Amino acid sequence: MIKVKKDLTGLTFGRLTVLKQVEDYVSPSGRRESKWLCKCSCGNEKLLQVRTSQLTGGHTQSCGCLK
């Protein structure tokens, strides 16, 4: 796992609360990015693995319940 500059554990992005860091995402070009295990506040029991850029950029804000 990549040592992250900022630990996102416990922070909330939209309806997602970050639980912990998980295995890194590796792009086809070999670039690595941290991924986080998140839980949605809608009550859905499914846990999501979301990349840092998707969380901090506002691209992923829920488990899909907002659509």
Side-chain angles (χ1 to χ4, degrees):
M1 278 193 272
I2 296 174
K3 182 170 173 70
V4 293
K5 293 177 185 176
K6 182 177 180 187
D7 186 8
L8 302 180
T9 303
L11 297 180
T12 300
F13 298 89
R15 290 187 176 184
L16 296 177
T17 301
V18 179
L19 303 177
K20 67 178 183 176
Q21 186 179 5
V22 294
E23 290 297 317
D24 298 335
Y25 167 77
V26 181
S27 72
S29 66
R31 190 176 70 92
R32 300 177 80 85
E33 186 176 0
S34 298
K35 284 196 319 186
W36 303 88
L37 188 66
C38 301
K39 182 171 177 69
C40 188
S41 65
C42 73
N44 187 348
E45 294 299 319
K46 181 180 174 186
L47 298 177
L48 305 167
Q49 291 186 14
V50 185
R51 291 183 282 162
T52 300
S53 62
Q54 299 296 310
L55 285 171
T56 58
H59 299 289
T60 305
Q61 297 183 3
S62 72
C63 65
C65 63
L66 288 178
K67 289 188 178 184

